[in-house]
Amino acid sequence: GAGVSQSPSNKVTEKGKDVELRCDPISGHTALYWYRQSLGQGLEFLIYFQGNSAPDKSGLPSDRFSAERTGGSVSTLTIQRTQQEDSAVYLCASSHQRGPYNEQFFGPGTRLTVL
Amino acid sequence: DAKTTQPPSMDCAEGRAANLPCNHSTISGNEYVYWYRQIHSQGPQYIIHGLKNNETNEMASLIITEDRKSSTLILPHATLRDTAVYYCIVRVGGGATNKLIFGTGTLLAVQP
């Protein structure tokens, strides 16, 4: 079946502009995650949505970052007033939520370049 | 911070078993050990997970020591396509959040 999809695959923007990144999770997955990976670095957790519960925003690096998930499905990560240090690959993942088991399925990512 | 320690890189000959170690000495009793890998320019891929017992699936085997302070991921017959960064992760949180804390991982290079 279809996996996690993300759009756009690449985004180049100028410093100070706002950007929106989209994630379509696997159908039926109630949990959705955003991570980012800077060049040569490991993955950094950003935010987590689970059903109708309040999202875990503990990984968002600043108030310029926000995310929402509409209708329990599609999610949008918004970065306002982008900075060069925001350049990274932004990865989305989704999973079922059944007890402690947590296999996350990752999308291909959006490569963001801030000039 | 990641709760695991892995060697930064390893080599393995094609067709041989690849044994990737991971230390997680501060693991809690209810925390699972997960392994993911990331092939260049792709998103991470789940491999296997375990709590106490050794586990095996079609991709790999996971050996967890009795004291649970370390584990080894075994790829029984490594191929060139197994070249990737392998992440050992101890799952944090319980119920309310299931975020994965990725460390720097081990770059496995399978040599022809």
Side-chain angles (χ1 to χ4, degrees), chain B residues 28-108:
Chain B
S28 300
N30 61 349
E31 289 181 316
Y32 286 69
V33 179
Y34 286 81
W35 283 83
Y36 281 73
R37 73 179 182 184
Q38 187 173 25
I39 296 170
H40 183 62
S41 297
Q42 297 182 21
Q45 175 191 22
Y46 166 84
I47 301 173
I48 199 167
H49 76 284
L51 181 63
K52 296 180 182 178
N53 300 322
N54 299 335
E55 302 288 344
T56 296
N57 63 19
E58 65 278 5
M59 291 183 68
S61 294
L62 175 60
I63 308 299
I64 302 175
T65 58
E66 190 170 347
D67 64 7
R68 302 213 319 128
K69 293 184 176 182
S70 65
S71 61
T72 301
L73 179 75
I74 302 172
L75 307 179
H77 306 287
T79 71
L80 298 178
R81 289 177 294 180
D82 291 323
T83 292
V85 177
Y86 287 77
Y87 295 99
C88 169
I89 300 163
V90 168
R91 177 182 168 273
V92 298
T97 181
N98 291 294
K99 63 187 177 186
L100 298 173
I101 306 298
F102 288 81
T104 53
T106 296
L107 174 58
L108 175 68

